[in-house]
Amino acid sequence: MPQPIRNWYFEPDPVPREAGGADADDGIAPTLTCLPAAALRQHGARVLNPSDAPVIPGSGPEGWGRTPMSTVYRARTLLVPADLLRDDAVVRAIDTALVPVGMSIVLPNLDSRPVRSGGPVAEALLRLPRIVGLVPAAPGPGRPARPVVVDAWTALQALRAAASAPPADVPPVNVPPVNVPPVNGTARADRAAGFEDTGFEDTGFEDTALTVEIVGRIGLEHLLAGSPVSPRASTEGNAMVGTPFTGGNAISGTPSTEGNAATAPGTGTASYVYASGDTRAPVALCLRAPARQRPEALGCRRPVVAVLDTGVRAHPWLDVRPDPSGYTLGQPDGFVADDLGIQAAIYAESSYAAAKQGDHSRQVIGNAWDGPVAADPLIGELNDATGHGTFIAGIVRQAAPDARVLAIRIMHSDDVVYEGDLLCALALLADRIAVAEKSGMPAMVDVVSLSLGYFDESPADVAYSSGLWQVIQLLLELGVAVVAAAGNYSTSRRFYPAAFSLRPSTVPVISVGALNPNGTRALFSDGGRWVRAWAAGAAVVSTYPDDVNGSRTPAVRVPAHRDGRPWPEDDRRGDREALDPDDYQGGFATWSGTSFAAPLIAAHIAAQLLEQALGQPAQGLDQPGRQAATDRAVAALTALGWPGHS
């Protein structure tokens, strides 16, 4: 039976070429988000404020002298390409360039990531950025220790200053010497950068100076956020406040804002907020689980949608059950699968950064399951992203019941994602796909769904400097479609990775905005030339963990009585109460956000892949190889109406 209103579509015109620079998409730039101090402390993060961010003088072709845009980043880490970290001379040059700001770097374990694919894919994966810790540099012999504010943006600016410095001498400034291993030519480099020679002896190493090309590949570790409409935030300025970890316009049920807030009672965005002040609510669903064919009836493997999110919790539609140790996947052909190898690698790299690289505030994701439910068990308020991955998996279950979801946890239950964790997950996912295309298609992944993102401080050169684009580009070249949420900030400012949709590729990045139930575009959704698809994302109904019951209570509760006597405590069938706003034991909820529009598009791609495989053997899902994967992805997108790039 056809739906009365189509709840998804692609923009009809081809994707425009990159033109006019990223500024063309920033006419309605969101205001700087004022993240609560507690959240910043918890994740070791800082807000980059354009009004007081230090920048290097000048405006060379690399654009480093421009005032940055607002973003949120982790204070004690940088992302540095692994091939640079394997070069001892480059590492020494980086440490030398950090002398003026009193910092040094701590390297990751470069051999810890289990890459199995070999060939060009493995070579590309081994060059991707890795987490590098920043710590105060040790003082030189006989020198007193001096206090240092460890800050990744300041460190990045110091590296850029060293790379941009002319070779001519400039007047020195007094900087406390620190104990950093020198390289040959350090004194010349120090003078060129405008600070005092540290006085270390020449160790005989070959002269190595930081170049614009080297430093241009080094970046911040951004704090990404999920894209559900969030119940709590704190912003300044003209904001429809929501997920609080990136600059600007989103939606919140309980905002604390200054200026012209758009969430007051009677405003349009308040319609996405329920009476409890939350943007999600329990609902009752009177439908059976969508019918799912047995594997032998399909005649090929199931299409797989990888969901990198909070992980999942118990729900019968997803074949996930509670277990004494957490949760368990109910059957070999269950709807949800996991990858313990990828999950273990995320844990290993993140825990190493926390324990060995000075990133002590790093919150480590220890397993594949969504949790904790509440940040403060003494209060019991549900975390903003609790149930996020379960809700997304349920959308795929509804739209593509014969597919599978590969759930990989990279999002904390308070809606935060570390860019380093995301890079690790995507890199190992690409490695898994490359191995599958060569040796065994059952481990293949066909679509990646990302309901998260961030605003970059320098969107003009993000495609060059971003390791995130490098690994996504590799996935596209492997024939895997990447679908990303456009964000909930009511802005045209580019939200990454969704805004990589403007990068030409045979298999594309598809950025997805949200539709209201009546087919109009949701007021909270981002929009712009980089948003290429639209799907239902407001008041969506989907699966929610049936073991979640928050601390809120019904406004009215009347115990049942029988002949003037209360019912027994273990039999409350006669109780009467108002709706409990956070009791999800019924297993379903309604929620809003571009987080839920993106997986709907991903699910339709998966369903089309299966449909065409059953009718056209040449497009079979068991056909190995990169070219076969690319051909069937392009065929599926074309059948769905994807217009391609101009």
Side-chain angles (χ1 to χ4, degrees), residues 101 129 218 294 314 471 545 594 629:
V101 289
I218 300 173
R294 294 182 178 275
V471 70
T594 57

Side-chain angles (χ1 to χ4, degrees), residues 55-394:
V55 295
I56 61 174
S59 56
E62 67 281 349
W64 289 339
R66 294 192 301 259
T67 299
M69 301 183 73
S70 60
T71 192
V72 182
Y73 65 97
R74 306 206 63 256
R76 289 181 170 265
T77 53
L78 290 171
L79 293 175
V80 182
D83 59 306
L84 298 182
L85 298 177
R86 290 186 172 90
D87 188 327
D88 290 342
V90 171
V91 171
R92 288 189 175 88
I94 291 173
D95 263 337
T96 299
L98 293 177
V99 166
V101 289
M103 289 181 258
S104 64
I105 62 174
V106 183
L107 303 189
N109 180 357
L110 293 172
D111 298 321
S112 66
R113 187 172 288 179
V115 174
R116 303 171 295 147
S117 53
V121 172
E123 292 176 6
L125 293 174
L126 292 172
R127 290 195 301 269
L128 289 173
R130 298 288 296 272
I131 301 164
V132 169
L134 290 168
V135 296
R143 306 276 185 173
R146 295 176 180 268
V148 174
V149 176
V150 176
D151 179 73
W153 175 253
T154 300
L156 184 59
Q157 294 304 97
L159 297 179
R160 291 174 173 179
S164 304
D169 289 349
V170 296
V173 297
N174 293 323
V175 176
V178 294
N179 188 15
V180 177
V183 297
N184 191 39
T186 293
R188 180 193 58 78
D190 288 350
R191 289 193 301 273
F195 54 84
E196 188 176 72
D197 185 353
T198 61
F200 288 107
E201 293 184 47
D202 188 335
T203 60
F205 285 104
E206 184 178 344
D207 185 8
T208 299
L210 290 178
T211 65
V212 169
E213 290 73 23
I214 289 174
V215 176
R217 298 175 62 199
I218 300 173
L220 300 172
E221 184 185 15
H222 296 95
L223 213 65
L224 292 84
S227 296
V229 176
S230 172
R232 281 167 290 278
S234 174
T235 65
E236 295 178 350
N238 179 15
M240 292 180 291
V241 290
T243 304
F245 300 101
T246 50
N249 297 343
I251 302 171
S252 171
T254 55
S256 172
T257 62
E258 296 178 1
N260 182 18
T263 48
T267 61
T269 53
S271 63
Y272 301 101
V273 182
Y274 297 99
S276 64
D278 206 335
T279 55
R280 62 197 153 182
V283 297
L285 191 66
C286 302
L287 299 174
R288 294 182 179 181
R292 194 161 188 255
Q293 299 182 71
R294 294 182 178 275
E296 56 269 20
L298 293 176
C300 64
R301 68 173 179 87
R302 297 186 185 278
V304 176
V305 179
V307 174
L308 280 63
D309 210 86
T310 61
V312 296
R313 293 176 71 92
H315 199 282
W317 280 25
L318 308 182
D319 303 314
V320 180
R321 299 197 301 256
D323 181 84
S325 61
Y327 297 91
T328 184
L329 302 177
Q331 50 187 300
D333 188 51
F335 187 76
V336 169
D338 59 8
D339 189 315
L340 297 180
I342 293 179
Q343 210 67 61
I346 296 169
Y347 171 78
E349 291 189 15
S350 197
S351 59
Y352 189 90
K356 304 292 187 181
Q357 294 181 261
D359 189 14
H360 307 303
S361 59
R362 194 177 196 90
Q363 305 295 306
V364 177
I365 290 177
N367 57 50
W369 310 112
D370 181 3
V373 168
D376 188 345
L378 299 180
I379 298 175
E381 284 280 327
L382 299 184
N383 275 322
D384 285 356
T386 293
H388 195 252
T390 302
F391 199 92
I392 288 171

Side-chain angles (χ1 to χ4, degrees), residues 121 301 433-434 436-438 441 444-446 474-481 505-507 609 612 617-636:
V121 172
R301 68 173 179 87
I433 293 165
E437 289 181 344
K438 290 192 298 185
M441 293 301 285
M444 182 63 182
V445 171
D446 303 281
L474 183 57
L475 287 167
L476 302 177
E477 291 171 353
L478 289 169
V480 178
S505 178
T506 303
V507 179
L609 284 168
Q612 70 189 23
Q619 302 293 343
L621 289 170
D622 294 315
Q623 295 289 330
R626 179 187 302 194
Q627 190 59 51
T630 299
D631 290 346
R632 60 177 170 259
V634 171

